[in-house]
């Protein structure tokens, strides 16, 4: 069986490694993949946004099943295009991917169907947005409507900063047309949880919960990044909270999308904040999270391909989705200077043999003359699992220390906050 995975990051590497466990899969193509993925799949130089090229490749190579992982191709309609030529796919159609593609859409959806989220106003006119900010509660959160490489959210601590943010998004267009409209919303406080879920539009099965570490520096300091590390499960996400989320957020979201004629099939990601007044949706993503996938999939005991095929066939209810009891930690090893300026092109040395509890998922690297060279801000994820979180963290850091390249940088505190929560829970019991 021939599989194609669209995308080129650590998330895609984790998906490919999980798919490879199914012995019926004989060939995996990554479009475009990267120098590290090249060890596990045939990389084809077709960009993730080249919908025509992706579709043509799938037809010409008689691909049996496609996985579209990143937001851009999903929002652009890659799944629609592949389905049109008869290729079965994992991922939402364009009309459902809008749940991530437009924040105005997702906020209005939540309001219409009573799904808990931060209070908000939408503006497509800069004058109205600025005059609203004269009296809006501060701090406030400004979000560009469309996709913005994960950077379209600005938390403004002062009225001046809020106005400046609106100007840079709506006037200077730093995110292009994504900033034609903005959402200005209530600032929420509380621990954040990422919950990825499998859904075929009828059944929804949440995966094990996780915690991202978005800021560049230790103790959540510095700039926001694509994610500097993750742990799973997330200790804040108790069984009671999980039940509440299922009842008030997950099932209502699936229903709402069906009622809107936008049935969602694929991986629906819930970015949640556990506020004093209950869990609220911070964002939806129409895809697997990165680097959440790198800690969630290693804990998946069931076969990923079987689940993805069941989702695509609308038969998720008949399929078993099991996670192990253990914990997992991913330390992202980045190029120093990320997410701003950084140098690339340095040779990466990784341990020759990995233990069965270790994984390295490559995100930003290329092959050159038989060497693996850094080629991005986030270079790779050093991942380890264990029975308990503390051991998983220790193992992931031991692995990160054995990965060498000039100017490498990683946070030293991934999972530390989560560990404190576990310790508090133990003391209480
Ligand atoms: P996003 O790019 O949508 O993932 O948002 C980036 C980060 O901004 C989130 O992970 C939160 O930490 C923060 N954020 C987004 N919306 C809010 C909000 N309404 N209140 C507080 N923090 C927020
Ligand atoms: N880790 C956050 C995201 O994938 O959007």
């Amino acid at each position: 069986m021939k599989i194609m995975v669209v995308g080129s990051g650590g998330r895609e590497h984790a998906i490919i490694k999980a798919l490879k466990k199914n012995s019926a899969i004989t060939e995996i193509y990554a479009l475009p993949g990267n120098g590290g993925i090249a060890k596990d799949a045939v990389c084809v130089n077709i960009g993730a946004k080249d919908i025509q090229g992706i579709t043509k490749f799938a037809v010409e190579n008689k691909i049996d099943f496609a996985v579209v992982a990143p937001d851009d191709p999903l929002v652009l309609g890659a799944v629609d295009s592949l389905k049109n030529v008869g290729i079965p796919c994992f991922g939402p159609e364009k009309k459902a991917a809008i749940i991530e593609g437009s924040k105005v859409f997702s906020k209005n959806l939540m309001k219409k169907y009573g799904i808990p989220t931060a209070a908000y106003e939408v503006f497509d006119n800069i004058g109205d947005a600025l005059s609203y900010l004269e009296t809006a509660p501060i701090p406030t959160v400004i979000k560009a409507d469309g996709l913005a490489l994960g950077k379209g959210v600005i938390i403004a601590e002062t009225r001046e900063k809020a106005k400046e943010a609106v100007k840079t998004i709506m006037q200077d267009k730093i995110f292009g047309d994504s900033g034609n409209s903005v959402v200005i919303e209530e600032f929420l406080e509380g621990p954040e949880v990422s919950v990825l879920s499998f859904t075929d539009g009828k059944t929804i099965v949440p995966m094990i919960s996780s915690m991202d570490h978005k800021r560049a520096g230790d103790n959540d300091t510095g700039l926001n990044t694509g994610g500097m590390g993750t742990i799973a499960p997330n200790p804040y996400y108790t069984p009671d909270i999980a039940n509440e989320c299922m009842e008030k957020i997950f099932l209502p979201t699936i229903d709402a999308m069906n009622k809107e004629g936008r049935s969602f099939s694929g991986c629906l990601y819930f970015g949640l904040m556990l506020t004093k007044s209950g869990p609220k949706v911070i964002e939806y993503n129409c895809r697997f999270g990165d680097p959440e996938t790198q800690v969630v999939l290693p804990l998946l005991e069931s076969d990923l391909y079987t689940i993805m095929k069941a989702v695509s066939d609308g038969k998720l209810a008949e399929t078993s989705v099991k996670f192990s009891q253990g914990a997992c930690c991913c330390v992202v090893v980045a190029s120093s200077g990320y997410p701003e300026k950084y140098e690339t092109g340095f040779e990466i040395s990784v341990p020759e043999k990995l233990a069965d509890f270790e994984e390295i998922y490559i995100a930003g690297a290329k092959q050159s003359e038989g060497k693996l060279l850094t080629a991005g801000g986030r270079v790779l994820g050093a991942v380890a699992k264990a029975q308990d979180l503390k051991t998983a963290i220790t193992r992931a850091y031991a692995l990160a220390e054995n990965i060498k390249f000039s100017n490498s940088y990683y946070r030293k505190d991934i999972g530390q906050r989560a560990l404190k929560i576990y310790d508090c829970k133990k003391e209480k019991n």
Side-chain angles (χ1 to χ4, degrees):
M1 191 167 38
K2 288 181 179 180
I3 307 265
M4 174 178 102
V5 176
V6 176
S8 63
R11 164 186 56 201
E12 286 75 11
H13 201 185
I15 291 173
I16 286 167
K17 283 210 179 180
L19 287 172
K20 274 183 83 175
K21 290 184 188 159
N22 185 313
S23 57
I25 298 175
T26 46
E27 285 160 67
I28 304 191
Y29 296 92
L31 279 62
N34 67 44
I37 290 177
K39 262 182 99 177
D40 294 290
V42 178
C43 294
V44 181
N45 194 14
I46 296 176
K49 289 201 249 179
D50 178 1
I51 309 299
Q52 270 192 343
I54 290 167
T55 311
K56 189 163 170 267
F57 177 85
V59 172
E60 283 175 2
N61 292 278
K62 299 193 171 61
I63 294 296
D64 296 298
F65 192 76
V67 179
V68 182
D71 48 7
D72 278 317
L74 290 167
V75 170
L76 289 170
V79 168
D80 310 55
S81 174
L82 288 163
K83 280 188 181 168
N84 272 340
V85 293
I87 313 267
C89 278
F90 180 86
E93 292 175 6
K94 183 176 180 170
K95 64 175 189 268
I98 193 176
I99 199 165
E100 174 170 4
S102 167
K103 292 212 192 293
V104 173
F105 171 86
S106 65
K107 294 297 289 190
N108 289 343
L109 184 86
M110 288 187 270
K111 188 190 250 176
K112 182 169 172 188
Y113 292 93
I115 298 164
T117 188
Y120 72 101
E121 299 285 340
V122 175
F123 299 94
D124 55 16
N125 172 304
I126 185 164
D128 293 346
L130 293 175
S131 63
Y132 169 78
L133 285 174
E134 293 292 347
T135 52
I138 298 292
T140 190
V141 184
I142 322 279
K143 300 186 172 182
D145 175 38
L147 296 179
L149 299 169
K151 291 179 190 147
V153 175
I154 298 167
I155 296 174
E157 313 277 352
T158 65
R159 223 167 277 291
E160 281 56 49
K161 287 210 170 124
K163 288 184 189 170
E164 210 179 288
V166 164
K167 283 184 195 151
T168 53
I169 295 174
M170 297 189 89
Q171 195 170 295
D172 307 343
K173 293 279 165 95
I174 50 164
F175 306 122
D177 285 346
S178 288
N180 288 348
S181 306
V182 292
V183 171
I184 301 184
E185 71 176 31
E186 172 195 13
F187 175 75
L188 297 177
E189 282 177 282
E192 287 184 55
V193 183
S194 305
V195 180
L196 284 57
S197 69
F198 291 111
T199 178
D200 58 4
K202 295 175 278 187
T203 305
I204 179 160
V205 182
M207 299 179 220
I208 198 163
S209 62
S210 54
M211 182 193 280
D212 195 1
H213 297 68
K214 286 200 162 94
R215 308 290 285 271
D218 287 353
N219 304 313
D220 296 325
T221 52
L223 292 172
N224 253 329
T225 70
M228 292 301 294
T230 33
I231 56 107
N234 184 323
Y236 289 103
Y237 194 69
T238 61
D240 282 349
I241 292 175
N243 288 335
E244 191 179 350
C245 289
M246 182 56 100
E247 188 198 323
K248 294 187 180 153
I249 296 174
F250 304 162
L251 290 171
T253 301
I254 297 304
D255 278 352
M257 290 297 276
N258 286 335
K259 289 197 176 116
E260 294 293 310
R262 295 174 183 275
S263 182
F264 190 102
S265 167
C267 173
L268 183 53
Y269 166 128
F270 299 87
L272 305 170
M273 194 171 270
L274 308 180
T275 72
K276 286 206 178 97
S277 52
K280 295 193 177 173
V281 177
I282 287 280
E283 61 161 348
Y284 291 115
N285 290 328
C286 65
R287 53 171 175 85
F288 283 93
D290 188 339
E292 284 90 342
T293 307
Q294 290 90 313
V295 288
V296 168
L297 290 186
L299 296 172
L300 179 66
E301 282 180 346
S302 313
D303 176 56
L304 179 62
Y305 170 71
T306 307
I307 299 169
M308 287 183 156
K309 182 74 171 71
V311 166
S312 153
D313 291 343
K315 291 183 177 163
L316 182 57
E318 298 158 32
T319 309
S320 140
V321 180
K322 280 213 177 99
F323 284 87
S324 73
Q325 290 296 311
C328 194
C329 174
C330 168
V331 176
V332 169
V333 186
S335 303
S336 169
Y338 172 76
E340 293 186 293
K341 267 200 175 151
Y342 52 83
E343 283 180 67
T344 58
F346 300 111
E347 185 172 357
I348 306 167
S349 109
V350 296
E352 259 181 32
K353 264 198 99 128
L354 296 181
D356 58 3
F357 52 79
E358 293 173 328
E359 285 285 4
I360 296 175
Y361 297 128
I362 307 285
K366 62 176 183 194
Q367 292 277 354
S368 177
E369 293 166 10
K371 290 179 186 164
L372 190 62
L373 306 181
T374 63
R378 290 188 298 169
V379 175
L380 55 85
V383 175
K385 52 185 182 173
Q387 281 307 311
D388 63 279
L389 181 64
K390 196 171 182 184
T391 314
I393 294 170
T394 309
R395 286 174 168 177
Y397 273 103
L399 178 59
E401 266 165 46
N402 277 323
I403 296 168
K404 311 267 185 226
F405 57 89
S406 300
N407 90 336
S408 79
Y409 166 76
Y410 52 86
R411 269 179 67 163
K412 303 290 183 298
D413 65 336
I414 302 301
Q416 289 308 317
R417 199 153 34 95
L419 267 188
K420 280 194 197 125
I421 300 299
Y422 278 120
D423 290 345
C424 288
K425 277 191 192 166
K426 265 191 233 147
E427 271 169 31
K428 273 193 202 156
N429 287 336

